[in-house]
Amino acid sequence: MKKKILSVLLATAMVVTTFSVYTYAGAADVYAEDEEDEEDEEDEEDEDDEDLAEINIALMCFAPMDQSVTDPIVDAVNEITEDAIDVHCNISWYDAATYGTQIPMQIQAGEKLDLIMFTPVPGASYVSYRAANQLLDISEYLEEEGEDLLELEGDLIKGTSFGDAVYGVTNFIVLRGGQVAFFRKDLADEAGVTEMIENATTWTELGDAAKKIAETSGMAGFVNTDAEGTVLYPRPFMAHGDSFDGAYWYDGIGDGYNMVLADPETDTVLCYYATEDFKEMAARSAQWYQDGIIYKDAATTQDYSDTLVKAGSGFAEIRSAEIGSLEASQAATGYELIAKDICYSKIGTSSTTKFGYAVPVTATEPEAAVRYLNYLFLSEELNNILSWGVEGVNWVRNEDGMATYPEGVNADNVGYHTSDFLYGNRDLTTPWEGDSTDIREQQRESYENAEVSKYMGFTVDNTGLENIVTACHDVCNQYHPMLDSGSASDWEETLNEFNDKLKAAGIDQLVEAYQGQLDAWLAENG
C-alpha cells in the first residue's frame, strides 16, 4: 500500500496544552514509504484490498438524507481512510428520531455495528446505551490504536468512563455554552422589537416581544428544540424568577434520562420535576402556550429547532448554544437571527456525553473502529468532509479561507451539509462563512475560561435499578412533553399527577440510590 506521512497541527479547545505536529501511526508507528513504480503500486493495492478492515458506522443527522446525497461522501471518506489507515467505512446516516429507535434495536438484534454516536436524543444517549449494556469497553483498544486520541482527550475521558472502563470519547466541541434565545431578525424588525429583544433582562420582556412578532406576522412563536417537546428551558438549564439573573445551569450527574440533578450547595440529589423551579417553568410555558407564542405541535412533532424555523413553523427557539451556534443556525435556517444570551453553563460530565462516539458490543472490528476514531480526530480533511461534504462540490473556500457554498449552490440545493459539532474535532473543521475568522480561537478561549462542575467525572450507575429507571422514564415520556411545551390543558393538575406517578414508579428509590453513590464519590474525590 502507498503510505503517506500525515502531519497534523493540533490546537484544540479540549486541552489547555497546544500540541505540535503529529504523525499518525496506527498506534505509534510513522507511516512512510518510498514511492514505488506504477506497476509495483498496482500490485500493492491489489494486496491491500484484501487487508482492509471493514467497519460499519452509524451517524445521526438532523434531516433525512438519501444515498444519492451520502454515497459521494462515503467515497470521499474511503479514498482517505483506505490509503492512510487500512480501513474501509460503510457509513449510514439516520435522522434524529430514527436514530434513537433503530440503533438500539440493531444492537439488540446483534447486527454488525462497529461505531455509533451517542447523542442527546432519547434512546441514543451515552447513558441509555451504557445502561442497556450495549457499549464495549475500549480502554485496551485506545492504548493500542488511539494513543493520540487518548492524549488529546486528557481528563475529559473521565466523563465517558466508569471505573477503569472507557465506553466512549466525546466530540471536541465547545463544552461550555449557554442558554440562548434565537429570533428571526426580519420579523423582529417588522414588529419593531429588535432592540427590545437585544436588551431584554427578563422572561416577561422576551414574551412580550414574541407576542408582538406573532401579532404582526401571524406566525407561531417558539418551536421545540428537541423531540421531547422542550421549548423554553433546554436541559440542563433552569430558571428561578422572572429575571435572567435567576437562570442557571445544573449538573445532572450523568443521568441521561434527565430526571435528577444535584444541588451544589448541599450535595443533595433531587428529582428535577419535583423542584419548585420546574413548577414555575411549567407555569410560564403554559401561559405562553395560551398566549399563542409556542408552536402548537411542539409536544408531538419529531422535527425541531432550526428545521422548524426554516419551515416557518415558528420564528424563535431557546436552546443550548455556544460560540458559533448563531452562524450555524443562520446557515441552517436561511434567516438572519438575533441571539439573546440568558445564562451560561459549566463543564460537567453531561458536557462530555452529549455528542461523541462509542463502539457497540456487536462490533466485529473494534480495533479498526478506534483506529478510525484516532485518525478522525487528527484529520482536518476528514472533519471537513463529514461536516460540509466534498470540497469543490458541496463547499469551497472563500478569499478568507472560510467554507462557503459554491456558485449556484445554497442551503436548499446543496445536498450534503451538516454541522461542525456532530462528527469529530470541530477545532480542525474549516469555519463556515459568517463566523468570525478567529472563531476557533474564541472557542478555545471560552473553553479555557469555563468553570468546571464540582461533580465532573461522576456518573450515576443504574446497575440493579434498570426496572425503576425504565418505569420512571416511561412516565416522563408521557408527561414531560405536555408540561415543557405548555400544552397540558391544566398544567398544575398534570404536574401533580406526573409527580404522583413518578413516586409510584420508584423515583424516590432512584434518588436515594443516586444520593448514596454521590456521597461515596465525594468521600473519595473530595
Side-chain angles (χ1 to χ4, degrees), residues 485-526:
S485 67
S487 59
S489 57
D490 183 329
W491 73 267
E492 195 161 15
E493 181 181 339
T494 301
L495 178 58
N496 290 335
E497 184 178 312
F498 180 17
N499 278 306
D500 287 344
K501 288 195 175 182
L502 276 176
K503 284 183 174 294
I507 191 67
D508 290 340
Q509 296 98 300
L510 204 61
V511 167
E512 182 180 0
Y514 291 165
Q515 184 70 65
Q517 294 173 22
L518 180 61
D519 290 344
W521 185 85
L522 287 170
E524 183 175 346
N525 295 275

Side-chain angles (χ1 to χ4, degrees), residues 362-417:
T362 56
T364 62
E365 297 285 349
E367 298 94 339
V370 174
R371 190 188 317 154
Y372 166 84
L373 276 183
N374 194 83
Y375 185 87
L376 169 65
F377 280 75
L378 300 177
S379 170
E380 176 183 343
E381 187 175 10
L382 203 54
N383 278 278
N384 279 332
I385 290 171
L386 291 172
S387 295
W388 312 135
V390 178
E391 187 171 3
V393 177
N394 305 108
W395 69 283
V396 294
R397 298 175 194 269
N398 65 17
E399 62 274 11
D400 296 321
M402 308 287 277
T404 189
Y405 295 118
E407 185 176 354
V409 177
N410 56 41
D412 295 323
N413 63 15
V414 65
Y416 187 91
H417 182 96

Side-chain angles (χ1 to χ4, degrees), residues 83-96:
D83 186 50
I85 56 172
D86 292 332
V87 173
H88 176 85
C89 303
N90 301 314
I91 308 176
S92 299
W93 281 262
Y94 302 78
D95 65 86

Side-chain angles (χ1 to χ4, degrees), residues 12 34 37 105 160 196 199 264 266 278 290 414 437 455 496:
T12 176
D34 294 332
D37 61 47
M105 288 174 58
T160 50
M196 184 177 183
N199 297 324
T266 62
F278 180 78
Q290 292 300 315
V414 65
T437 54
Y455 307 121
N496 290 335

Side-chain angles (χ1 to χ4, degrees), residues 11-19 151-153 444 447-449:
T12 176
M14 301 304 105
V15 286
V16 174
T17 304
T18 300
F19 294 93
E151 189 169 1
L152 204 58
E153 286 272 330
R444 290 186 204 112
Y447 169 77
E448 292 170 4
N449 293 333

Side-chain angles (χ1 to χ4, degrees), residues 228-369:
E228 298 179 271
T230 303
V231 178
L232 304 184
Y233 309 103
R235 292 167 292 187
F237 294 99
M238 293 270 265
H240 178 74
D242 190 41
S243 172
F244 292 159
D245 288 341
Y248 61 95
W249 176 93
Y250 66 84
D251 195 321
I253 55 177
D255 170 28
Y257 299 100
N258 298 302
M259 296 186 290
V260 304
L261 62 107
D263 180 346
E265 294 185 2
T266 62
D267 294 327
T268 303
V269 178
L270 304 170
C271 172
Y272 170 76
Y273 299 106
T275 63
E276 286 298 312
D277 286 346
F278 180 78
K279 182 177 182 179
E280 177 187 317
M281 295 190 303
R284 182 173 289 119
S285 295
Q287 184 59 58
W288 284 20
Y289 186 89
Q290 292 300 315
D291 291 342
I293 54 174
I294 289 181
Y295 175 49
K296 65 180 179 63
D297 293 329
T300 56
T301 181
Q302 292 301 301
D303 292 323
Y304 52 90
S305 198
D306 292 343
T307 300
L308 290 172
V309 173
K310 180 179 180 180
S313 300
F315 55 72
E317 53 183 290
I318 300 178
R319 62 185 179 88
S320 177
E322 59 206 30
I323 295 174
S325 291
L326 172 61
E327 291 78 11
S329 286
Q330 288 181 151
T333 62
Y335 295 106
E336 183 179 359
L337 303 172
I338 305 167
K340 178 60 191 177
D341 294 339
I342 297 172
C343 69
Y344 296 97
S345 68
K346 299 179 183 180
I347 296 177
T349 301
S350 61
S351 306
T352 67
T353 57
K354 188 172 183 180
F355 285 104
Y357 288 95
V359 176
V361 293
T362 56
T364 62
E365 297 285 349
E367 298 94 339

